Amino acid sequence: QQQVKQSPQSLIVQKGGIPIINCAYENTAFDYFPWYQQFPGKGPALLIAIRPDVSEKKEGRFTISFNKSAKQFSLHIMDSQPGDSATYFCAASMGGGGNKLTFGTGTQLKVEL
Amino acid sequence: DTGVSQDPRHKITKRGQNVTFRCDPISEHNRLYWYRQTLGQGPEFLTYFQNEAQLEKSRLLSDRFSAERPKGSFSTLEIQRTEQGDSAMYLCASSLEAGGQSNEQFFGPGTRLTVL
């Protein structure tokens, strides 16, 4: 049972563009929604996370938008750069970041010059 | 380097052999997690520890898999009688649980297992 569905599977944007990655979850008990960035040969690294009591959170060029009623959340990357080319995973957990994470299937992003 | 470290980084073994991986978490972190990641997929939770206590195991973790964290510091994940389907990246993560506050998980670089 896939509890977190992520789309698209891959994405190509031009430098400066705003890629948007979407996730949908099923379990209403989830209360922590992080996004992770993973480069080839490396472990995932936390980018930004949100809890369901807010609808938007910004950290630098990364923004999470959260829609609790629709059980959806998305990652926007402003002014994307070639160095942002990586695989991005959404995830969800119950009880905060220190509990088991359920990950989406990942989005491979390529930012072209 | 004070991040999560894993050893070995790569392991090639033949079907039926046993393998053991080690994870050293960030020193003050009391929670340690194991995940498995196959090509083109997100990490899947296997098990986690708080100090030396194993608090949860996924149904993915068959009887051939065992994890330990004997002194609440480093952890080992052993796979007995490996199968080709065990080929994956095994990721370790750690976090600090303090005063009811659950904090982010920091991941190690992973151990890539190939079973021939």
Side-chain angles (χ1 to χ4, degrees), chain B:
Chain B
D1 190 339
T2 57
V4 178
S5 61
Q6 293 186 244
D7 184 68
R9 293 293 309 277
H10 303 274
K11 178 71 177 177
I12 300 174
T13 191
K14 292 183 179 178
R15 189 164 47 109
Q17 297 295 304
N18 299 343
V19 293
T20 299
F21 310 140
R22 176 179 170 124
C23 171
D24 286 89
I26 294 171
S27 60
E28 67 270 22
H29 284 185
N30 51 8
R31 284 199 174 177
L32 186 148
Y33 314 78
W34 287 99
Y35 291 84
R36 179 172 65 191
Q37 185 177 24
T38 53
L39 204 60
Q41 299 296 314
E44 292 177 298
F45 170 80
L46 294 178
T47 187
Y48 86 100
F49 294 83
Q50 175 142 335
N51 300 313
E52 65 275 11
Q54 189 172 19
L55 295 188
E56 187 173 351
K57 290 172 59 174
S58 166
R59 285 171 291 178
L60 293 174
L61 213 63
S62 78
D63 291 344
R64 297 185 296 105
F65 288 69
S66 62
E68 294 183 342
R69 194 181 183 200
K71 296 181 180 179
S73 57
F74 73 91
S75 175
T76 57
L77 177 68
E78 181 183 17
I79 309 174
Q80 297 182 328
R81 305 181 304 281
T82 53
E83 301 173 357
Q84 287 185 325
D86 297 331
S87 296
M89 175 78 85
Y90 289 84
L91 292 164
C92 176
S94 70
S95 72
L96 177 65
E97 174 86 1
Q101 179 74 29
S102 291
N103 296 305
E104 69 168 287
Q105 295 178 34
F106 292 84
F107 282 81
T111 293
R112 181 165 295 285
L113 172 66
T114 302
V115 182
L116 301 176

Side-chain angles (χ1 to χ4, degrees), chain A residues 8-89:
Chain A
Q9 188 175 8
S10 63
L11 190 54
I12 300 174
V13 298
Q14 297 297 308
K15 179 176 178 291
I18 305 175
I20 301 172
I21 304 170
N22 301 297
C23 282
Y25 62 97
E26 299 168 7
N27 188 344
T28 55
F30 287 145
D31 62 0
Y32 175 79
F33 303 90
W35 284 90
Y36 280 82
Q37 179 188 57
Q38 186 175 31
F39 293 103
K42 304 285 188 183
L46 180 68
L47 271 178
I48 184 172
I50 197 168
R51 292 187 183 270
D53 52 345
V54 296
S55 59
E56 186 176 275
K57 183 174 181 181
K58 292 182 181 180
E59 284 187 5
R61 295 184 296 109
F62 301 96
T63 299
I64 299 180
S65 297
F66 186 84
N67 185 330
K68 188 175 180 178
S69 61
K71 293 188 287 185
Q72 294 175 347
F73 58 110
S74 59
L75 176 70
H76 302 232
I77 305 176
M78 306 301 176
D79 187 27
S80 58
Q81 302 296 313
D84 295 330
S85 298
T87 301
Y88 292 81
F89 293 96

